[in-house]
């Protein structure tokens, strides 16, 4: 369970990126975070693992408040929070395996990571994850030799190698084609379901967000202006988040694909029922 | 059809907007250049007599004598090569921590300031000046040369390494930091893979430079092939000097070709 209370971030330049944002995410829930560029989506998920230091407010995972942790405690907290990035952010000159194993850096001493002698169970886990994301044969390739979709799969495996209790996902499909985007979103969703893993997915594409997430948060100019089910995101809500625009074209397009969406969401809901 | 006057277009001046200032500044520069050229005094008679000495030098080149001073030459060469390799290795090893410390995105401000000061000091002092200082401190010979080249390597390599570190892709570093990595792990996983090819390339390049510099600083007494060359010229043995210069040119070309091949390979 992740609880964010009164989170505020004011940058040195005086820009208020987040204004008193409060929200809680129960375990197993996949949340889509939408909003216009510059609304503070990136800042919000980076405040959770303190890649960006929040100005005030609390971020609670379980009992501990992440904003109050010391440096070494923060490193421990970070290793429980997996992060998937826009444009993958793999270390390009390292191999796929080294990238996946870098998910264990918070768990191993420096000499083990420096000599690449990770514990056997970490290596086993990494191989299993590469199989899971469909890259079993690519372990020793350099990360920059892979295609965009493959790289994002490595990014997903790296985040999972951490044994996370929460996934933060920043624009996972920003530089992928529509088909690969859907595949990547589906993969992330499947994995979250398999592990009962909560996730916050920061995403530009409203249709993708509606299709794949169970709850949508709308951010505008640092304020939370929408919090509800994907179905409740009507034209009024979109206007509240993004401003005036004729939304009918987008609504119609998402309507065209209705059959596929329905089955997708129904499956999510069915599986939730099982859990 | 009505004729209209065509609209004239001129590219707007880039550096100096005001036309009067433009004429004054450019005109002033040209006048200074002419005055400066005129002030150089050339003694044509001296040039004429010097031509003969120059010609003897060229003849020495055309008939290089490798044999009569070979033991001096080979000793100088070995000294120079030893000096080059050891000073490059020591210089690179010292430059790495200083370079990391001088990268603003990795080091805290006080460390950054100290490392940048070391780099500035090393770069401000030209090799010859340091060589003269070290020869005065440690006497003639290759040890002074070794220290000189190590010191010069630090300024060169640490500065370029720091700049390369400051230019790395921050997203890759952020991703490694997000896993809970410590500072050392962050450098090892997020930074090192990004700067390693350039570090290797720069080190090999510096090896080149150090060999060439070893010939120069030998002239002020810091040992090596430069000292041998200096002695040969002092004795008017231009055939031996020619041989030495040819050997230096050959080694520099081999080093140049070798290092560029290795650099391509590590990319």
């Amino acid at each position: 369970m992740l609880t964010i209370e009164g989170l505020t971030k004011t940058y040195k330049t005086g820009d208020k990126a987040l204004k008193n944002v409060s929200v809680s995410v129960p375990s197993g829930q996949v949340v889509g975070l939408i909003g216009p560029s510059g609304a503070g989506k990136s800042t919000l998920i980076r405040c959770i693992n303190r890649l960006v230091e929040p100005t005030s407010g609390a971020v609670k995972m379980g009992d501990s408040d992440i904003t109050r942790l010391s440096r070494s405690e923060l490193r421990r907290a970070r290793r429980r929070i997996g992060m998937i990035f826009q444009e993958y952010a793999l270390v390009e000159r390292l191999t796929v395996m080294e990238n996946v194993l870098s998910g264990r850096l918070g768990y191993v001493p420096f000499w083990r990571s420096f000599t690449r002698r990770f514990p056997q169970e970490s290596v086993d886990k990494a191989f299993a994850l590469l199989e899971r994301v469909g890259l079993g044969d690519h372990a020793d390739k350099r990360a920059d030799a892979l295609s965009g979709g493959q790289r994002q799969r490595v990014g997903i495996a790296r985040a999972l190698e951490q044994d996370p209790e929460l996934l933060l996902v920043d624009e996972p499909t920003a530089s992928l084609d529509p088909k690969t985007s859907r595949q990547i979103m589906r993969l992330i969703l499947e994995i979250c379901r398999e592990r009962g893993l909560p996730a916050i997915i920061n995403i530009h594409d409203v249709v993708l967000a509606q299709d794949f997430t169970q709850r949508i948060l709308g951010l505008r100019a640092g304020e939370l202006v929408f919090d509800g089910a994907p179905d409740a995101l009507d034209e009024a809500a979109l206007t509240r988040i993004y401003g005036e625009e004729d939304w009918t074209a987008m609504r119609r397009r998402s309507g065209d694909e209705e059959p596929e969406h329905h089955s997708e969401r129904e499956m999510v809901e069915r599986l939730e029922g099982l859990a | 059809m009505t004729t209209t006057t065509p609209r004239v277009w001129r590219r707007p001046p880039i550096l100096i907007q005001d036309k009067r200032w433009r004429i004054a500044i450019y005109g002033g520069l040209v006048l200074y250049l002419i005055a400066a050229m005129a002030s150089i005094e050339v003694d044509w008679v001296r040039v004429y007599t010097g031509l003969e000495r120059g010609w003897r030098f060229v003849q020495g080149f055309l008939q290089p004598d490798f044999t009569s001073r070979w033991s001096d030459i080979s000793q100088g060469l070995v000294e120079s090569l030893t000096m080059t390799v050891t000073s490059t290795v020591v210089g690179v090893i010292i430059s790495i921590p200083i370079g990391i410390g001088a990268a603003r995105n990795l080091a805290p401000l006080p460390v950054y300031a100290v490392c940048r000061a070391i780099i500035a000091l090393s770069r401000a002092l030209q090799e010859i000046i340091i060589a003269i200082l070290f020869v005065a401190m440690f006497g003639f010979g290759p040890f002074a040369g070794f220290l000189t080249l190590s010191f010069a390597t630090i300024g060169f390599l640490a500065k370029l390494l720091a700049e390369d570190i400051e230019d790395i892709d921050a997203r890759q570093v952020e991703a490694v930091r997000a896993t809970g990595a410590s500072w050392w792990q962050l450098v090892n996983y997020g930074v090192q893979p990004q700067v390693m090819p350039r570090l290797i390339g720069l080190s090999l390049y510096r090896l080149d430079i150090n060999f060439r510099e070893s010939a120069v600083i030998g002239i002020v007494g810091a040992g090596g092939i430069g000292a041998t060359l200096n002695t040969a010229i002092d004795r008017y043995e231009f055939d031996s000097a020619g041989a030495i210069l040819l050997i230096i040119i050959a080694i520099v070309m081999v080093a140049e070709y070798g290092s560029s091949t290795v650099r391509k390979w590590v990319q």
Side-chain angles (χ1 to χ4, degrees):
Chain A
M1 172 101 171
L2 172 77
T3 311
I4 297 171
E5 289 166 5
L7 197 66
T8 298
K9 172 67 188 176
T10 310
Y11 282 106
K12 274 181 201 154
T13 53
D15 297 329
K16 279 188 173 292
L18 293 174
K19 296 168 193 162
N20 200 19
V21 173
S22 296
V23 69
S24 71
V25 179
S27 57
Q29 191 176 58
V30 176
V31 180
L33 181 60
I34 63 171
S37 304
K41 306 193 294 292
S42 249
T43 307
L44 177 57
I45 66 168
R46 279 172 173 71
C47 278
I48 294 171
N49 62 358
R50 277 171 63 188
L51 288 177
V52 170
E53 283 294 336
T55 310
S56 64
V59 175
K60 287 180 181 150
M61 250 178 91
D63 296 330
S64 67
D65 180 355
I66 292 174
T67 59
R68 294 177 184 281
L69 300 181
S70 70
R71 274 171 82 120
S72 61
E73 288 169 330
L74 175 62
R75 295 215 298 119
R76 280 172 195 285
R78 272 181 185 160
R79 66 187 195 187
R80 294 185 296 142
I81 304 174
M83 195 156 177
I84 297 169
F85 293 85
Q86 185 173 7
E87 303 193 4
Y88 341 118
L90 301 181
V91 181
E92 299 195 341
R93 286 208 179 87
L94 292 183
T95 62
V96 167
M97 195 59 178
E98 285 173 298
N99 269 290
V100 176
L101 284 171
S102 69
R104 299 306 290 180
L105 288 179
Y107 293 90
V108 300
F110 177 70
W111 70 268
R112 270 192 182 275
S113 65
F114 182 77
T115 56
R116 308 301 197 252
R117 289 178 188 279
F118 285 85
Q120 188 57 42
E121 60 266 37
S122 301
V123 177
D124 290 341
K125 192 200 306 284
F127 274 119
L129 283 168
L130 282 176
E131 289 295 339
R132 174 67 188 82
V133 299
L135 293 174
D137 302 331
H138 299 291
D140 285 334
K141 278 193 187 157
R142 241 167 71 155
D144 56 7
L146 302 182
S147 71
Q150 289 175 324
R151 289 191 206 191
Q152 195 54 291
R153 288 166 193 273
V154 177
I156 293 169
R158 171 174 64 187
L160 295 176
E161 179 78 11
Q162 289 176 236
D163 281 330
E165 293 161 32
L166 170 69
L167 269 189
L168 302 176
V169 190
D170 189 17
E171 302 282 2
T173 62
S175 40
L176 299 175
D177 66 63
K179 182 173 178 230
T180 314
S181 295
R182 296 191 75 84
Q183 288 172 338
I184 290 291
M185 284 300 284
R186 195 172 294 126
L187 179 63
I188 293 173
L189 263 286
E190 280 173 10
I191 284 166
C192 286
R193 277 201 304 268
E194 283 165 15
R195 302 171 171 234
L197 196 60
I200 299 179
I201 306 179
N202 194 335
I203 190 161
H204 260 304
D205 189 327
V206 176
V207 179
L208 270 186
Q210 284 180 296
D211 285 351
F212 287 99
T213 62
Q214 300 152 6
R215 176 184 174 192
I216 289 192
L217 301 177
L219 209 55
R220 182 181 190 176
E223 282 173 289
L224 208 54
V225 293
F226 180 85
D227 180 357
D231 289 327
L233 195 66
D234 52 16
E235 284 172 37
L238 282 170
T239 299
R240 217 175 330 137
I241 300 167
Y242 290 98
E244 252 353 295
E245 178 57 71
D246 180 9
W247 300 107
T248 47
M250 198 190 77
R251 305 295 297 169
R252 194 170 56 241
R253 207 168 42 245
S254 73
D256 286 344
E257 291 176 70
E258 207 79 75
E260 194 205 344
H261 296 176
H262 259 300
S263 58
E264 198 106 54
R265 183 121 28 81
E266 271 164 19
M267 201 171 74
V268 173
E269 275 155 16
R270 258 208 319 276
L271 276 151
E272 259 167 53
L274 290 175
Chain B
M1 203 175 124
T2 54
T3 51
T4 52
T5 45
R7 234 180 121 187
V8 180
W9 182 85
R10 291 264 180 283
R11 197 185 69 151
I14 293 176
L15 287 178
I16 307 160
Q17 297 294 329
D18 190 292
K19 193 171 184 182
R20 284 160 301 177
W21 273 112
R22 217 159 50 230
I23 292 168
I25 289 173
Y26 291 149
L29 279 174
V30 171
L31 284 177
Y32 172 76
L33 209 61
I34 293 168
M37 295 288 257
S39 74
I40 299 173
E41 286 168 18
V42 186
D43 180 351
W44 293 106
V45 179
R46 174 65 187 77
V47 170
Y48 181 75
T49 52
L51 277 181
E52 195 211 321
R53 209 185 288 180
W55 178 241
R56 273 205 284 144
F57 208 96
V58 173
Q59 277 181 319
F61 255 121
L62 294 176
Q63 297 165 309
D65 178 5
F66 290 92
T67 46
S68 52
R69 295 276 171 204
W70 178 247
S71 67
D72 288 349
I73 295 175
S74 64
Q75 197 198 336
L77 267 181
V78 169
E79 246 176 49
S80 261
L81 289 173
T82 314
M83 206 154 84
T84 304
V85 173
T86 50
S87 66
T88 307
V89 170
V90 169
V92 168
I93 291 171
I94 299 174
S95 310
I96 291 171
I98 294 178
I100 292 173
R104 193 64 197 95
N105 51 352
L106 282 184
L109 193 58
V111 177
Y112 171 79
V114 170
C115 291
R116 282 283 166 177
I118 295 172
I119 291 174
L121 181 72
S122 163
R123 287 171 59 80
L125 300 173
Q126 218 275 333
E127 275 95 336
I128 305 255
I129 297 171
I130 312 169
I132 292 170
L133 174 73
F134 281 143
V135 168
M137 282 167 75
F138 300 103
F140 291 101
F143 183 63
F146 159 77
L147 289 179
T148 304
L149 294 177
S150 302
F151 185 71
T153 301
I154 293 169
F156 173 87
L157 207 73
K159 181 183 163 74
L160 293 176
L161 177 63
E163 264 152 33
D164 203 33
I165 292 175
E166 286 174 351
D167 281 344
I168 58 174
D169 180 1
R171 291 172 311 171
Q172 298 181 28
V173 180
E174 186 186 43
V176 175
R177 180 178 286 133
T179 65
S182 66
W183 190 86
W184 289 105
Q185 289 172 326
L186 191 73
V187 171
N188 184 221
Y189 274 72
V191 178
Q192 190 191 328
Q194 294 194 59
V195 301
M196 207 57 192
R198 191 159 155 75
L199 179 62
I200 293 172
L202 286 172
S203 304
L204 290 170
Y205 181 44
R206 188 64 216 186
L207 193 73
D208 265 23
I209 299 176
N210 278 351
F211 181 74
R212 269 176 283 153
E213 291 294 337
S214 80
V216 176
I217 59 176
I219 293 172
V220 296
I225 191 75
T228 321
L229 179 65
N230 198 29
T231 313
I233 293 175
D234 282 349
R235 292 175 180 156
Y236 298 100
E237 290 171 357
F238 291 135
D239 43 3
S240 292
I244 294 168
L245 285 175
L246 286 176
I247 291 171
I248 292 175
I249 292 170
I251 291 178
V252 167
M253 280 170 73
V254 168
E256 173 84 36
Y257 180 75
S259 72
S260 70
T261 311
V262 175
R263 262 180 280 165
K264 264 185 217 129
W265 177 66
V266 292
Q267 289 295 330

